[in-house]
C-alpha cells in the first residue's frame, strides 16, 4: 500500500461567504473524495489562518484558544458584545470585534466621530483575564481617531485647552491640547503587546490613514482633509510626531499609531504573528502539500496577506503550495514569485460572482477534487 499523502489546509476566510474554518472543512471534504477516486491514502490537517483583520479571533479559536466575551463601547458609542481569544497568558484581540465597520448601527458610517474606545475596553478585559502577551489584530476599522479612544479607555487623559476630555472620533483631535499618559493601566508596562497588521502606511499624508482608508469609512474630501490635519496635530501633541511615519502607524484609522506611540507596542506583519501563535511550523513538519487561499488573490495578496505569508513559510521548508480563491487576479509569474505553484478559482467553475458567493462551499469542494486529481495522482 502506498504511503499516505499529507496535506495541510491553511487558508484565510472567503470574505462574505465562508469563514477560514469553513473553507478548510470544504476543501478537506473535496480532497477526500478526490483521493478516494484516485485510490490514494490521504491525511488532512486543517489550520485556519488570519492576517490580523476580520477573522483573527476565529482562527485562534479554531486552534484551541478559549472564547471570552465582554460588553464594550461600539464605534458609535452604543454597547456591543465583543470577543477575544485566550490561551494561558496569551490573548488574541481583534479590534474589529469592538470598533469595526460591522459594529456601526445600521451600517451608517460616522467618519468624524467613530471611536476606538471599545478596543481599549477589550484590551483591558484581556488583561483582567490574565493575559501578559496580547496580539492586537487590526483591520476593518470604522474609525479614524488615531487610537485616541483606545488610549482613553486604558486610562490616558486627552484634554482640550479648558482641561476637558476631547470628544470621540478623529475630528475632535483638532482641539487636543495635552496628552497625559501617566494614568495608563500599569499592567501594560509588563505586557508584551504585538500590533498585528498587513498595513504599513504612515499616520498622515497622501498615504496616511485618512487619505487612503477614510473614504472606505464614509469620509468625503473635506472630511479627509480635516481628519488628516487633526491626526497630525494629535501626533505632535502625543509624541512630537516621532512615530507618525512608523510602519503600521496608519493602520485601522491610525489605531496603529496609538498602540505604537501610546502603548509601546511592537509592529509585526499579522500573518507572521498568527502563524507563530497558531503553531504553523509544527503543523507543517510532515506536510507533502499546503493549500492556502482567500476570497480574492490579487495584488494586495502579495503585500502581507495570509496566502503570501503561508506560502513564504512553506517555501522555507521546501513544501509545495497551491491556492484556492473566489477570484484570481494575479498572473502565474506573480503566483510563482510568491511561492504559490498554482491557483484554483471558484470563477473557473461559476463565472457569476453572486452565485460564486452563494455557492462557495460546494464549488470549493469541486475545486478540491480537482486539486486531488492534479496533485495527488
Amino acid at each position: 500500500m502506498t504511503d499516505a499523502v499529507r496535506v495541510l489546509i491553511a487558508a484565510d476566510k472567503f470574505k462574505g461567504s465562508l469563514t477560514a474554518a469553513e473553507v478548510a472543512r470544504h476543501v478537506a471534504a473535496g480532497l477526500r473524495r478526490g483521493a478516494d477516486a484516485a485510490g490514494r491514502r490521504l491525511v488532512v490537517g486543517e489550520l485556519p489562518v488570519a492576517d490580523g483583520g476580520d477573522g483573527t479571533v476565529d482562527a485562534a479559536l479554531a486552534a484551541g484558544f478559549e472564547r471570552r466575551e465582554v460588553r464594550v463601547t461600539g464605534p458609535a458609542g452604543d454597547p456591543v458584545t465583543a470577543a477575544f481569544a485566550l490561551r494561558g497568558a496569551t490573548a488574541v484581540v481583534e479590534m474589529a470585534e469592538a470598533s469595526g465597520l460591522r459594529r456601526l448601527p445600521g451600517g451608517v458610517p460616522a467618519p468624524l466621530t467613530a471611536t476606538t474606545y471599545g478596543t481599549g475596553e477589550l484590551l483591558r478585559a484581556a488583561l483582567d483575564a490574565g493575559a501578559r502577551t496580547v496580539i492586537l489584530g487590526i483591520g476593518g476599522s470604522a474609525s479614524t481617531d488615531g487610537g485616541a479612544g483606545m488610549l482613553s479607555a486604558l486610562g490616558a487623559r486627552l484634554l482640550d485647552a479648558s482641561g476637558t476630555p476631547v470628544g470621540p472620533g478623529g475630528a475632535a483631535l483638532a482641539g487636543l491640547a495635552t496628552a497625559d499618559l501617566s494614568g495608563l493601566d500599569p499592567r501594560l508596562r509588563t505586557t508584551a503587546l504585538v500590533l498585528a497588521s498587513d498595513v504599513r502606511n504612515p499616520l498622515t499624508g497622501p498615504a496616511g490613514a485618512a487619505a487612503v482608508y477614510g473614504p472606505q469609512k464614509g469620509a468625503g474630501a473635506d472630511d479627509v482633509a480635516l481628519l488628516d490635519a487633526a491626526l497630525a496635530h494629535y501626533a505632535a501633541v502625543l509624541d512630537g510626531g516621532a512615530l507618525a511615519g512608523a510602519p503600521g502607524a496608519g493602520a485601522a484609522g491610525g489605531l496603529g499609531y496609538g498602540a505604537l506611540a501610546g502603548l509601546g507596542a511592537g509592529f509585526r506583519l499579522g500573518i507572521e504573528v498568527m502563524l507563530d501563535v497558531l503553531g504553523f511550523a509544527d503543523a507543517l513538519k510532515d506536510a507533502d502539500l499546503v493549500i492556502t487561499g482567500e476570497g480574492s488573490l490579487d495584488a494586495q495578496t502579495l503585500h502581507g496577506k495570509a496566502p503570501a505569508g503561508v506560502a513564504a513559510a512553506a517555501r522555507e521548508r521546501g513544501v509545495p503550495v497551491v491556492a484556492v480563491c473566489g477570484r484570481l487576479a494575479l498572473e502565474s509569474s506573480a503566483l510563482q514569485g510568491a511561492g504559490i505553484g498554482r491557483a484554483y478559482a471558484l470563477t473557473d467553475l461559476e463565472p457569476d460572482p453572486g452565485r460564486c458567493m452563494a455557492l462557495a462551499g460546494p464549488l470549493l469542494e469541486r475545486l478540491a477534487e480537482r486539486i486531488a486529481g492534479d496533485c495527488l495522482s
Side-chain angles (χ1 to χ4, degrees):
M1 181 178 289
T2 58
D3 291 337
V5 179
R6 297 179 180 274
V7 180
L8 176 62
I9 304 167
D12 202 348
K13 65 187 176 299
F14 279 31
K15 192 169 185 177
S17 298
L18 301 169
T19 66
E22 289 169 339
V23 170
R25 187 162 64 248
H26 284 293
V27 171
L31 282 175
R32 291 188 178 103
R33 284 202 296 272
D36 288 345
R40 295 303 305 270
R41 292 176 59 223
L42 185 67
V43 175
V44 179
E46 300 177 24
L47 188 74
V49 299
D51 56 20
D54 293 353
T56 295
V57 165
D58 286 341
L61 296 175
F65 279 64
E66 175 189 351
R67 181 182 180 90
R68 296 289 185 95
E69 291 188 349
V70 62
R71 293 289 279 177
V72 299
T73 304
D78 54 317
V80 300
T81 300
F84 65 95
L86 184 72
R87 184 169 64 191
T90 298
V92 175
V93 174
E94 182 181 322
M95 68 84 57
E97 278 283 317
S99 312
L101 285 165
R102 61 190 175 89
R103 295 302 193 184
L104 287 167
V108 179
L112 301 182
T113 59
T115 178
T116 56
Y117 195 92
T119 297
E121 294 175 310
L122 201 54
L123 285 171
R124 192 170 66 233
L127 296 177
D128 291 343
R132 291 301 173 262
T133 297
V134 178
I135 312 302
L136 176 58
I138 59 176
S141 165
S143 66
T144 309
D145 76 346
M150 172 189 68
L151 294 178
S152 296
L154 289 166
R157 287 168 48 82
L158 305 177
L159 310 174
D160 64 18
S162 68
T164 302
V166 297
L173 296 174
L176 180 67
T178 60
D180 179 4
L181 304 184
S182 64
L184 283 172
D185 192 313
R187 293 173 296 181
L188 291 165
R189 291 195 289 270
T190 56
T191 299
L193 180 62
V194 181
L195 186 67
S197 175
D198 64 346
V199 172
R200 297 176 179 268
N201 299 58
L203 179 64
T204 59
V212 176
Y213 300 106
Q216 299 174 8
K217 305 169 189 183
D222 291 343
D223 296 333
V224 166
L226 187 159
L227 288 167
D228 191 63
L231 288 174
H233 174 69
Y234 166 63
V237 174
L238 196 64
D239 75 337
L243 291 173
L255 182 140
Y257 168 76
L260 293 168
L263 304 181
F267 173 82
R268 286 185 65 193
L269 279 178
I271 184 58
E272 294 179 358
V273 178
M274 291 307 296
L275 290 182
D276 286 347
V277 169
L278 299 175
F280 181 76
D282 286 339
L284 185 64
K285 282 180 180 176
D286 298 321
D288 300 303
L289 175 70
V290 171
I291 299 176
T292 189
E294 64 180 345
S296 178
L297 284 180
D298 52 34
Q300 290 188 20
T301 302
L302 306 178
H303 299 288
K305 291 289 188 179
V310 168
R315 181 164 53 182
E316 288 184 1
R317 299 287 189 91
V319 181
V321 178
V322 299
V324 291
C325 59
R327 166 182 170 270
L328 177 61
L330 290 174
E331 299 291 337
S332 59
S333 58
L335 290 171
Q336 295 284 343
I340 299 171
R342 182 173 174 181
Y344 296 76
L346 299 186
T347 52
D348 293 341
L349 302 176
E350 172 52 69
D352 179 75
R355 285 180 59 81
C356 265
M357 293 187 71
L359 301 173
L363 290 172
L364 200 51
E365 292 186 22
R366 287 172 55 189
L367 281 186
E369 289 185 63
R370 182 178 294 181
I371 292 171
D374 291 344
C375 301
L376 306 183
S377 57

